[in-house]
């Protein structure tokens, strides 16, 4: 009788993928991006070891269950960070706005360290600008030139990289958070926040003035936004709900509320919510007016009439791509114009809604293209011996079906 010894097949290699960005609970939009990036990587390689480099590791561990390991990378000895970095098969930067003055060089220092260790690097639908500081410009120009693939989320970012002098192909897709899945925002949660049901609700997002209101002092800025909120209360017989997307937004929301003639018709969301829950809350609204990019993205994805109050190129770009009204800024002498835009948005939205839906689908398809591209790079770096779905062709087909411009989907040199 012949006996045979059975030897188990070796387990497929488990790639380690690092994700670096402005993560750690500072901004709902950044957390939404991280959720979508991790979901993309997990869908492509279910067994991958996903390592997040976070600005608050405890927060990320508590709120991002797809992360296998979380590493603090600010204010800690760098040897430990570099030891983790050395064990990666791929480092993903982004997405979101990481490449701007005062911050770009910090993120790119870690990307350069990965490149020095021959670790492939991928820019995942990042945002760029403003970039005026020489050190940040030099870091962007040199480090991005050495990355394996560079994808930006909007045309404004590509133009910034071109102006900096980056000479390589750059692909324009769309913000990763367009692919976020909504979570329920229940009636009990509405009650706990004191938000009424059975009435019209308008969501507002306010932040520090910045470039949106350069000619206004802070008090006038708050008073102008209060005029908008009061107009919405009177015109629509609505309640206004202020939705802080970043912790500093709370102070500005309180200031606007204090200037309102009808403060009893205003509410501020006080609890902390996951990005999916914030997206779920949008389904209770009838209209959205605001500044924060991801507030506008969530509203548009939810099919709401949206009036952006642009403070940066990324908001102008999103308004252009969705066909939303694009105001130049917020100025006291333009109060009448601002209120007229709100009025027109409400009146014309039933007609505009049919135009918005295919635009959002096209942007969602472009966001999927970023996931396709990082999957393609990962397959080149660590071939997958097992069977898996092939998102590359499917993702590009989605973009084609949605009418995505070939130039955006395929990429082009930043200097073209």
């Amino acid at each position: 009788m012949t006996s045979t010894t059975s030897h188990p097949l070796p387990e497929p290699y488990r790639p380690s993928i690092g994700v670096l960005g402005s993560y750690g609970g500072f901004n709902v939009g950044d957390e939404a991006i991280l959720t979508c990036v991790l979901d993309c990587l997990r869908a492509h390689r279910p067994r991958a070891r996903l390592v997040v480099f976070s600005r608050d590791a405890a927060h990320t561990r508590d709120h991002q269950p797809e992360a296998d390991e979380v590493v603090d990378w600010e204010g800690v000895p760098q040897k430990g960070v570099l030891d983790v970095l050395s064990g990666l098969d791929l480092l993903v930067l982004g997405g979101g706005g990481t490449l701007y003055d005062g911050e770009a060089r910090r993120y790119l220092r870690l990307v350069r360290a990965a490149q020095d260790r021959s670790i492939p690097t991928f820019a995942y639908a990042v945002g760029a600008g403003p970039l005026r500081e020489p050190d940040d410009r030099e870091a962007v120009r040199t480090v991005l030139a050495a990355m394996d693939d560079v994808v930006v989320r909007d045309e404004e970012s590509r133009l910034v990289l071109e102006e900096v002098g980056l000479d390589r192909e750059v692909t324009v897709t769309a913000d990763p958070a367009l692919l976020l899945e909504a979570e329920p925002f229940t009636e009990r949660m509405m009650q706990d926040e004191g938000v009424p049901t059975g009435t019209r609700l308008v969501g507002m997002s306010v932040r520090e003035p910045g470039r949106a209101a350069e000619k206004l002092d802070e008090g006038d800025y708050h008073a102008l936004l209060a005029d908008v909120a009061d107009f919405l209360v009177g015109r629509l017989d609505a309640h206004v709900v202020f939705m802080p997307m970043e912790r500093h937004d709370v102070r500005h929301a309180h200031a606007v509320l204090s200037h309102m003639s009808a403060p009893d018709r205003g509410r501020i969301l006080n609890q902390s919510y996951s990005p999916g829950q914030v997206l779920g809350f949008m389904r209770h609204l009838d209209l959205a007016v605001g500044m924060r990019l991801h507030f506008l993205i969530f509203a548009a994805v939810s099919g709401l009439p949206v009036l952006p109050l642009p403070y940066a190129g990324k908001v102008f770009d999103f308004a252009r791509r969705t066909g939303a009204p694009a105001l130049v800024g917020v100025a006291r002498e333009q109060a009448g114009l601002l209120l007229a835009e709100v009025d027109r948005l409400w009146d014309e939205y039933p007609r505009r809604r049919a135009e918005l839906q295919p635009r959002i689908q096209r942007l969602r398809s472009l966001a999927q293209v970023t996931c396709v591209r990082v999957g393609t790079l990962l397959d080149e770096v660590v071939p997958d011996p097992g069977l898996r779905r092939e998102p590359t062709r499917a993702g590009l087909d989605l973009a084609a079906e949605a009418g995505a411009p070939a130039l955006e989907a395929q990429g082009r040199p930043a200097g073209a």
Side-chain angles (χ1 to χ4, degrees), residues 17-24 31 34-35 37-38 41 49-57 59-61 64-73 81 84 88 91-92 94 110:
I17 307 169
V19 182
L20 169 66
S22 184
Y23 307 133
E31 295 304 305
L34 178 58
T35 297
V37 172
L38 294 177
L41 296 171
R49 178 172 165 268
L50 303 182
V51 181
V52 176
F53 294 87
S54 174
R55 299 171 69 180
D56 185 338
H59 182 279
T60 301
R61 290 189 192 100
Q64 297 290 348
E66 288 294 346
D68 296 296
E69 182 178 354
V70 183
V71 180
D72 274 310
W73 67 281
V81 177
V84 174
L88 299 179
L91 178 63
V92 174
L110 203 56

Side-chain angles (χ1 to χ4, degrees), residues 52-386:
V52 176
F53 294 87
S54 174
R55 299 171 69 180
D56 185 338
H59 182 279
T60 301
R61 290 189 192 100
D62 289 342
H63 294 85
Q64 297 290 348
E66 288 294 346
D68 296 296
E69 182 178 354
V70 183
V71 180
D72 274 310
W73 67 281
E74 286 191 315
V76 298
Q78 289 301 290
K79 182 181 182 305
V81 177
L82 295 176
D83 286 346
V84 174
L85 187 74
S86 298
L88 299 179
D89 295 288
L90 173 67
L91 178 63
V92 174
L93 172 66
T98 54
L99 304 180
Y100 61 93
D101 287 325
E103 291 289 302
R105 75 192 84 163
R106 296 172 55 256
Y107 291 108
L108 294 179
R109 193 174 297 123
L110 203 56
V111 176
R112 191 192 300 274
Q115 293 170 346
D116 290 343
R117 290 159 174 76
S118 300
I119 297 166
T121 53
F122 180 91
Y124 198 112
V126 295
L131 281 169
R132 302 185 186 95
E133 294 293 330
D135 289 347
D136 289 301
R137 292 168 66 90
E138 175 65 15
V140 168
R141 185 166 49 246
T142 57
V143 176
L144 266 65
M147 296 187 80
D148 292 80
D149 197 1
V150 175
V151 180
V152 296
R153 67 182 174 186
D154 51 48
E155 182 67 15
E156 174 79 11
S157 295
R158 189 195 69 80
L159 292 174
V160 168
L161 298 182
E162 175 183 333
E163 192 276 330
V164 165
L166 180 64
D167 184 17
R168 63 159 300 152
E169 180 184 275
V170 173
T171 300
V172 180
T173 59
D175 194 284
L178 284 152
L179 300 176
L180 185 71
E181 296 292 332
E183 300 172 24
F185 199 100
T186 65
E187 295 296 323
R188 176 60 184 270
M189 295 162 73
M190 297 281 283
Q191 292 172 10
D192 289 345
E193 288 284 7
V195 177
T197 56
T199 186
R200 283 179 179 157
L201 297 176
V202 176
M204 282 193 73
S205 163
V206 298
R207 50 158 285 159
E208 69 274 14
R211 287 180 291 164
E214 292 178 326
K215 297 180 180 179
L216 290 180
D217 65 33
E218 197 167 83
D220 286 343
Y221 166 72
H222 292 145
L224 176 58
L225 295 181
D227 287 346
V228 175
D230 283 327
F231 176 81
L232 291 165
V233 168
R235 171 69 171 85
L236 306 182
D237 189 23
H239 285 72
V240 176
V241 183
F242 295 90
M243 301 175 61
M245 301 293 285
E246 192 170 287
R247 60 187 64 175
H248 300 299
D249 295 353
V250 175
R251 179 176 72 85
H252 296 283
H254 277 288
V256 173
L257 184 63
S258 71
H259 282 81
M260 287 179 62
S261 300
D264 58 308
R265 302 292 289 272
R267 295 288 187 276
I268 301 171
L269 294 186
N270 292 304
Q271 302 299 318
S272 295
Y273 299 104
S274 71
Q277 289 171 328
V278 176
L279 178 58
F281 180 78
M282 292 287 177
R283 297 182 177 178
H284 295 277
L285 301 179
D286 297 280
L287 185 143
V289 178
M291 291 182 167
R292 291 285 183 190
L293 175 63
H294 289 93
F295 168 86
L296 300 169
I297 288 175
F298 290 177
V301 167
S302 302
L304 292 175
V306 179
L307 179 64
L309 302 178
Y311 71 94
K314 60 188 179 182
V315 177
F316 280 105
D317 189 275
F318 184 72
R320 175 185 63 82
R321 294 171 97 178
T322 58
L327 301 175
V328 173
V330 178
R332 190 75 206 178
E333 62 272 16
Q334 295 176 332
L337 175 62
L338 182 58
L339 299 182
E341 284 289 353
V342 174
D343 200 37
R344 182 162 59 225
L345 175 67
W346 179 255
D347 288 339
E348 296 181 357
Y349 187 66
R351 175 179 58 81
R352 289 186 177 185
R353 183 168 191 168
E355 301 170 1
L356 174 65
Q357 291 173 333
R359 287 174 180 262
I360 291 298
Q361 180 56 38
R362 181 158 62 249
L363 290 176
R364 286 171 56 86
S365 298
L366 283 171
Q368 177 63 27
V369 170
T370 316
C371 183
V372 169
R373 292 183 76 96
V374 74
T376 299
L377 176 59
L378 183 58
D379 288 345
E380 294 171 0
V381 172
V382 186
D384 185 355

Side-chain angles (χ1 to χ4, degrees), residues 21-36:
S22 184
Y23 307 133
F26 299 91
N27 180 284
V28 173
D30 290 326
E31 295 304 305
I33 288 171
L34 178 58
T35 297
C36 293

